[in-house]
Every structure is written in C-alpha cells, then in structure tokens.
Amino acid sequence: HDALPIFADSETHDRIHHRLSIGDHQAPPKMIHGIFVIILALGSSALGDPPSECGDAEMGSIPLNVKQMEGKWNLIAMVWDDNPWFQHIRQVTFFWTEVTTKEDVKEIATYYGSLGYVSRFVFQGKKISSDESSISFSDGANLGMTLTQPSPDSLILTEVGDDKTIGVYLYSRSKTLVPEMVEKFKRWTACKNHTHFLQYQNAIDYASICPDVLIPHKQAADEVVEGHWPLVAKAANVPDNHYHVRILFSSQLDFSVSKKTSSIKEVQSIGSQENLLKETQVDGECKLVSDDCTAHVTLFKSRKDTLLVGVEKVCKVGGEATLYFSVKSGKVKKSEADIFKQQALCYSADFVYFVPNTQVLDSEGDKLE
C-alpha cells in the first residue's frame, strides 16, 4: 500500500503496516434477503475558485487546552493542494488519529483502513510555539503540525512541510460533526486557496470501536484452525452473488496445511450439492500459488470454538478483502452477529452476509424467530 497525503512527506515517519492490528452510519444497515449492505459514503471534489466574500470565513477557536486535544479522533473532512497522492484517497474507507504526549514529545498517530489493511503513520515532534488557541510542533527536520479546536468535540490539524501546507484535517470525537461545521471548514479552506476537498460519512465510530473488536491472534492461522469450520457469516469489500440466492444453503471453510502451502477453501452446500466458491493457496512468502498477487491470512481473537479470519488479496490492479466468521456449533448469539458487523467495517468489508442455515440465538440461548 502506498502512502497517503497525511504524513506522507517526511522520511522520519514510523510507517508500520499492521495486518489489522487495531480499530453508525447515519442510517442503520438494512437487511435485504439476509444481506446487510453498509454503504460508506465518500464525497470528494475540487474546491474551485475562492468565494468572493472571504472576510468572515474563519473557523473560530476555543482557548488552548492541550490535554483536551489528546485522545482518539475520527477524520471528518480534509483538504490539500494538487498532490499525486490524491488518486489513492478513494481506496481508503476510514481515517482516525490518536494524539498523545510522551514526556515533552507530542505523538500524533494516524491510522487508515483499506482492503482489510490498516496502516499507521506516526509523527513525533517537540513544541515550537503556541498562542491563546493553537499549538505547533516540529519533528526537527521539515515537518510540522499545528493543532487548534473550533469546539470541544472537534480538532483541526494543519500539516506543514518545507514551509508549505500539505493538508488540513477536520476531526470529531464521534463519527460525525454538525453539517454547519463541515460547511464552515470547506469555505474557510477554500478561502485559503486549497484545491481538493474530501468528506467522510463514517459508518461507525472507528476510533473508539476498531481497536477493541478486531485484535490479531498471536498464533498463525494454520497452527490452530486446520479442519472444517461451519461458516455463519462473511463480509467482503465487493458483493458476492453466491450469497444472493433465496434458498436455504450452508457454507463452510476448509483449512489444510502442507509443507509448502496453506489452503483455505470456501464451500457452499445447497442440498447434497457442494460448490467450491473460492480457494486461496498461500506459500511461505504469502504469494498466491495461482496468481501474481500477494495474499495475507490473519487469525483474529475470538471466543473458544469460533473462528474469525481475514483473507486479504492484493494484485497489481485491484484487490479483495474477505472476513469469515465460523462457529463449530453453527449457532451464534445476536450480540455476536452485531459485533461481526462492526468487525466487518473495521476490515473495510462493507457487504455483510449471514448464512441462512445459521441459528441466531438471544442472550438466553434461545433461537430467534
């Protein structure tokens, strides 16, 4: 995965690729024939010429409170000028940032998710200046960050490199901000002659939810899951027509391990007929055996007798992200099903399917009608 505009121009950044080492739409997901489709809206545009009246185009700010700036923030909108990284933004489903202080060093870690893959960029800098409403930090080389707050639940981060503004980012403590605040930000940045504007409609509070619901298992997937696993749900970044059929069917994952390769088969059964939907064979270097692509299989933490596994496939053109949820008994509690929808979004897989033969239970263990 290539770097994106935020923190992209500094060689001192700690770029760490995690196989999902971390973590509501304004309308809840609707169920269509057993399929939960969660749409992540992404609006981007050129800002065009500055507004004719820019005299009152100010964001405003509250008094500086460095402690209040710390913690986790969801990205709501961003602007930047002509930049080759702009083409990569459309691949990203979410951004969130965590601001912390370690001794006298401010650390700003930004996470972005795409195709089941979360990357982290870390800026570390020392304070160089402050006034009544803002504080600035520098990494001692060519990168600087200025933080200010229009309100207690919002944060603006301005990124500067080589004395030029790289980007300006508007954050919220929750998944949204009031529309008036976003429009004000858009007008304010247009008056500063920034050219590109992008707004995220976050499906969930990624910053608060994802670090807790999708945690990689310490053991490799092929060490603990070999065998047959009834599939109760799956999520993908693209629709899967095999799960659109309006008849009862069951699915399972078959894991097998040899000296040279590991294999994951997704099998759908309709009556006595079995159909192999997908097979992923991975060698020791994470290369797909049957294609010129890179595949990564990640086992995530889940309760005993359950399996939560992600398969990410990245090719020269495009890619796939699939998250599988299996339970030995074929039964799942409604609370677990709800959590899986969140896990799917944290994996950048917004098409969620529940296998019809799955029994969904209430908190008492009784089957839901």
Side-chain angles (χ1 to χ4, degrees), residues 282-295:
V282 183
D283 65 16
E285 297 181 352
C286 290
K287 292 289 185 180
L288 285 174
V289 174
S290 59
D291 202 351
D292 184 22
C293 300
T294 300

Side-chain angles (χ1 to χ4, degrees), residues 177 296 349 364:
L177 273 178
H296 297 274
E364 303 297 325

